[in-house]
Amino acid sequence: MLRDNLIKKLLLTHDPDGRRLDSEAIVLAVTSNLYSASFHETDITEIETIGCSESMLCRCSGEGDINSRVINLFDLIGKYSWDAKVVLVLAAFAVRYGEFWQLMQLHHDNSLAALISSIKKLPCNLKPLKLQIKALSLLVETMMDVAMCIIKYSDSAIIAAWELSSLAYRLSGTGCNLRRQVDLCYEEIERNLYQRLSDLARAEHIDNQKSLTLFFPSNNYLPLKDCSTEVKLGVSELKNQIVLLLITKPQLLSPVDIFLLVQKTCDHPLNERLKESYKIVWIPLPSSDSWTEAEESSFNFLSDSLPWHAVRKPRLLSPAVVKYIRERWNYKDEPIMVALDSKGKVTNYNALDMINIWGAKAYPFSASKEEELWQDQNLTMELLLDEINPLLAYWVEQGKSICLYGSENMVWIQQFNDKITELKRAGLQLETIYVGNSQLGEHVKQIMARSGGTSRSDPLSFTNVQFFWLRLASMLRSKLRLGKTPSGDYVLAELSALLEMDDKEEGWVVIGSGGSTDIIRLQGMQVMEFLRKCSVWRENITKFGLWGSPRNILETDFVEGSCTHSYFVPSRKNGRLSQGTVICQVCKRPMKKFVVYKP
């Protein structure tokens, strides 16, 4: 029905006034141009004397509904006979087609042609378009056959109209066939690319260029950009570097996740030394097969603000690449950071957590490096608080005793702070930090805002507290990814317990110092019992501190009277003088030193 209406409208534009053209001569010139892909000066002159080719080019190109553009074009040539209409349309097409081929032939050797090609955004290499060009050539040949038929029967307007209708049907059928062939070609190209990506894991490469070239849009030799400077980049800029592919939705991450990642990479003390050894490249993928306006807007804003690299036109990513990332890298719309070594091999399918934990110290961000870092890592205050705040970093470095605590019960918090204040006045050296709980609801934020007036602790900012819990969640995921279980891994068990702390009635504490493995987690009544015993042992605690083992205080009852136990401790251990306070294993008191000489 739509096609019939279009043909009726086209027939209504036909209002010939007797103008005549030497159609056969023009067709010969057009044929010469189309088949030889080069202009002859006389042919150009003959076509241009018609006086409407350039206007027709303008009418044929541009935006808008195709049917409306066709009707506008036929309005323009309405005064000509049917054969002249066909010839004029072909002539306009030949001008554009011939110009294209002339530029393609000359742009390698002629600077002007190269400049024009660049301005017109013409492809530099036609090899990838071989199948499309072949299909176009078949279409041109069909068009010329139909044109000659119309010219042959130009004396009969009815026949010409029939031929025009036939042309529409034939071209419609040819277009459908062409579309089917092109679709099949694209499917084959995508299957081939997916297979080549799959083969990367087994292939050996001298650098990462082949791998990166497959991932990023092949029709753009500058597929990346430096987000901070807006400079366009090619994959050659990443040669011989560790590449971290940050794959997320176009909305990237939450602001606090972004801040933590920036802190752990760009702002990390080691980054100045390592910044030329690795690069982060952001690859945004929409949730569906197509981009929404909101996703486009989000990407444009964030990609101009980040301190990393990004894909310049992520919409041009091949469907095969997106499919590969989702299937082979198990991307499920949750952020991942895939680490590629300097040869383009995947060394870690998600290095995001290890970067949140250790920052640039995790270089080169491989799965083996992640396992190595955990092998040497115990549960310490240094691990829990690693550089999320300069003041805490200083306390950890100085080996100060630190108490992390959390609760949403203001009565419990007040009682806890009152007891801590009493112990501090008696000389206890202990830094207390409120961190709420892993849910970080609005109530926790309100408590933190009020903490300045209800306690003498030095609270972190809310963002710092978010960093704390984000890192703990990353530690948990990292451990689980390495196959650890809470029953067989003490660190994982303690992390799980901390992340599950959401008791709104009673609070919890974690006490430790610096890199010491003497760290204890208490909850509910255990906390108040611990503080009670600290009060009983006040004299020794204020004199010797918590002795690096707060567990001893909790597990041991106070023993009246003096300590009568004795131990022989070598004056030298591993070639060094024995130093520090020795704690009695029975009554848990600091022991006096005496020198004993043995023959």
Side-chain angles (χ1 to χ4, degrees):
M1 182 64 70
L2 291 175
R3 183 172 57 202
D4 292 341
N5 289 337
L6 176 62
I7 292 174
K8 288 178 182 178
K9 290 180 181 179
L10 294 180
L11 290 174
L12 290 174
T13 65
H14 185 59
D15 184 24
D17 60 1
R19 302 182 192 187
R20 301 290 296 174
L21 291 175
D22 189 351
S23 299
E24 290 191 14
I26 295 177
V27 167
L28 289 174
V30 170
T31 303
S32 174
N33 179 47
L34 292 176
Y35 285 105
S36 66
S38 61
F39 278 100
H40 298 287
E41 188 64 33
T42 55
D43 297 335
I44 296 175
T45 303
E46 290 176 12
I47 294 175
E48 291 183 337
T49 56
I50 294 168
C52 62
S53 294
E54 186 61 36
S55 178
M56 286 170 60
L57 290 175
C58 295
R59 295 286 183 98
C60 291
S61 60
E63 304 290 338
D65 174 59
I66 183 64
N67 289 348
S68 300
R69 287 158 57 192
V70 169
I71 292 172
N72 288 338
L73 175 59
F74 271 73
D75 281 335
L76 180 66
I77 58 178
K79 300 298 182 182
Y80 290 91
S81 62
W82 286 110
D83 63 313
K85 293 180 196 293
V86 175
V87 168
L88 287 171
V89 173
L90 283 175
F93 172 73
V95 170
R96 185 61 57 88
Y97 189 75
E99 178 188 12
F100 169 76
W101 280 109
Q102 191 174 42
L103 289 172
M104 289 298 95
Q105 293 169 356
L106 297 176
H107 84 280
H108 288 296
D109 304 313
N110 186 296
S111 58
L112 179 58
L115 179 60
I116 295 174
S117 298
S118 176
I119 293 173
K120 290 179 175 288
K121 298 182 179 179
L122 297 179
C124 298
N125 183 9
L126 295 181
K127 288 183 179 179
L129 303 175
K130 185 177 180 180
L131 293 175
Q132 291 93 323
I133 292 172
K134 184 176 180 180
L136 180 60
S137 299
L138 292 174
L139 178 60
V140 169
E141 185 176 346
T142 303
M143 290 165 56
M144 295 306 301
D145 288 343
V146 174
M148 292 305 296
C149 290
I150 293 174
I151 292 170
K152 183 176 181 181
Y153 296 105
S154 60
D155 290 335
S156 173
I158 296 176
I159 294 176
W162 181 88
E163 287 290 344
L164 183 61
S165 177
S166 175
L167 171 64
Y169 282 111
R170 287 183 63 186
L171 291 181
S172 176
T174 302
C176 289
N177 291 332
L178 180 60
R179 279 193 296 272
R180 282 195 295 269
Q181 291 299 319
V182 170
D183 289 342
L184 289 173
C185 289
Y186 272 120
E187 288 175 8
E188 182 61 30
I189 290 171
E190 293 300 316
R191 279 195 297 270
N192 181 266
L193 176 56
Y194 189 91
Q195 186 59 49
R196 292 171 68 192
L197 289 168
S198 301
D199 292 340
L200 287 175
R202 297 185 295 273
E204 293 292 335
H205 306 296
I206 59 173
D207 55 39
N208 59 10
Q209 294 300 283
K210 184 174 182 179
S211 300
L212 295 175
T213 301
L214 288 178
F215 278 105
F216 300 121
S218 59
N219 59 345
N220 190 337
Y221 71 101
L222 295 174
L224 308 175
K225 72 173 184 178
D226 185 324
C227 299
S228 58
T229 64
E230 293 296 301
V231 173
K232 299 176 183 178
L233 303 171
V235 296
S236 59
E237 299 290 332
L238 305 176
K239 189 173 183 179
N240 296 325
Q241 292 186 332
I242 303 293
V243 178
L244 301 176
L245 301 178
L246 177 59
I247 305 167
T248 72
K249 294 179 181 179
Q251 295 82 359
L252 190 57
L253 307 167
S254 69
V256 68
D257 282 290
I258 296 175
F259 295 153
L260 178 60
L261 190 56
V262 171
Q263 185 200 62
K264 288 296 182 179
T265 54
C266 303
D267 296 341
H268 195 278
L270 290 176
N271 191 60
E272 190 63 30
R273 178 164 60 86
L274 294 174
K275 64 181 180 180
E276 298 304 323
S277 301
Y278 75 96
K279 289 291 184 291
I280 297 175
V281 179
W282 180 31
I283 302 179
L285 297 182
S287 299
S288 61
D289 293 334
S290 58
W291 283 69
T292 65
E293 186 176 343
E295 289 173 332
E296 190 92 39
S297 176
S298 179
F299 167 73
N300 291 335
F301 172 75
L302 290 169
S303 66
D304 291 341
S305 314
L306 300 172
W308 310 310
H309 294 345
V311 180
R312 203 157 53 83
K313 296 182 178 180
R315 294 178 67 119
L316 298 181
L317 285 172
S318 168
V321 170
V322 176
K323 180 182 177 183
Y324 183 86
I325 290 173
R326 290 188 179 278
E327 293 183 353
R328 297 300 183 91
W329 290 355
N330 200 34
Y331 174 67
K332 305 296 183 185
D333 291 334
E334 291 296 322
I336 62 173
M337 183 176 276
V338 178
L340 306 179
D341 66 15
S342 59
K343 293 186 178 181
K345 289 273 191 178
V346 175
T347 59
N348 196 334
Y349 287 100
N350 193 358
L352 192 56
D353 288 322
M354 71 184 300
I355 291 177
N356 283 345
I357 301 167
W358 292 289
K361 286 185 287 189
Y363 179 87
F365 315 108
S366 62
S368 59
K369 179 65 174 180
E370 186 172 14
E371 193 163 4
E372 176 189 326
L373 288 169
W374 275 122
Q375 285 176 352
D376 300 330
Q377 184 67 67
N378 294 308
L379 185 65
T380 63
M381 275 293 166
E382 184 177 15
L383 172 66
L384 297 178
L385 301 175
D386 185 40
E387 298 176 350
I388 62 172
N389 174 279
L391 178 61
L392 266 62
Y394 174 75
W395 287 349
V396 168
E397 184 181 351
Q398 295 297 309
K400 288 193 173 187
S401 295
I402 298 173
C403 173
L404 306 177
Y405 72 100
S407 174
E408 291 190 31
N409 186 330
M410 281 302 300
V411 174
W412 185 94
I413 291 173
Q414 186 66 58
Q415 291 175 349
F416 172 81
N417 281 314
D418 288 346
K419 199 68 176 175
I420 289 293
T421 301
E422 178 186 331
L423 289 170
K424 284 185 175 181
R425 285 173 178 166
L428 175 66
Q429 298 297 313
L430 182 67
E431 307 294 346
T432 52
I433 305 294
Y434 178 74
V435 293
N437 56 43
S438 59
Q439 283 71 43
L440 288 179
E442 190 64 29
H443 194 198
V444 171
K445 187 182 290 188
Q446 293 172 0
I447 290 172
M448 292 187 67
R450 296 171 58 187
S451 64
T454 60
S455 75
R456 293 179 176 270
S457 62
D458 296 299
L460 298 173
S461 70
F462 188 68
T463 298
N464 291 150
V465 173
Q466 288 177 301
F467 285 176
F468 172 79
W469 290 109
L470 283 174
R471 291 185 66 254
L472 260 59
S474 286
M475 293 177 202
L476 181 75
R477 288 192 297 268
S478 177
K479 281 281 188 179
L480 293 174
R481 195 161 46 245
L482 292 175
K484 306 300 182 182
T485 61
S487 60
D489 190 291
Y490 169 70
V491 174
L492 179 56
E494 289 298 302
L495 291 171
S496 300
L498 279 173
L499 288 164
E500 292 169 4
M501 291 282 191
D502 60 353
D503 194 330
K504 294 179 172 38
E505 296 302 319
E506 296 182 317
W508 57 270
V509 300
V510 174
I511 303 174
S513 61
S516 171
T517 57
D518 266 328
I519 190 168
I520 189 171
R521 174 177 53 84
L522 305 173
Q523 187 174 7
M525 295 303 298
Q526 288 180 317
V527 178
M528 294 306 170
E529 177 66 12
F530 175 80
L531 295 179
R532 185 189 68 79
K533 289 193 173 184
C534 283
S535 296
V536 174
W537 288 50
R538 181 183 306 172
E539 181 181 347
N540 287 329
I541 289 176
T542 56
K543 184 176 181 181
F544 297 101
L546 290 174
W547 314 315
S549 184
R551 186 178 289 103
N552 290 336
I553 300 174
L554 186 67
E555 295 175 351
T556 305
D557 291 326
F558 183 75
V559 179
E560 295 289 346
S562 60
C563 175
T564 59
H565 306 97
S566 61
Y567 299 95
F568 288 101
V569 179
S571 60
R572 288 183 176 271
K573 189 175 182 180
N574 297 327
R576 296 183 178 181
L577 289 172
S578 297
Q579 296 180 355
T581 301
V582 177
I583 305 301
C584 177
Q585 297 300 308
V586 178
C587 61
K588 308 301 180 185
R589 294 175 175 173
M591 303 182 74
K592 293 182 179 180
K593 285 186 180 180
F594 297 93
V595 178
V596 177
Y597 295 94
K598 295 177 67 177

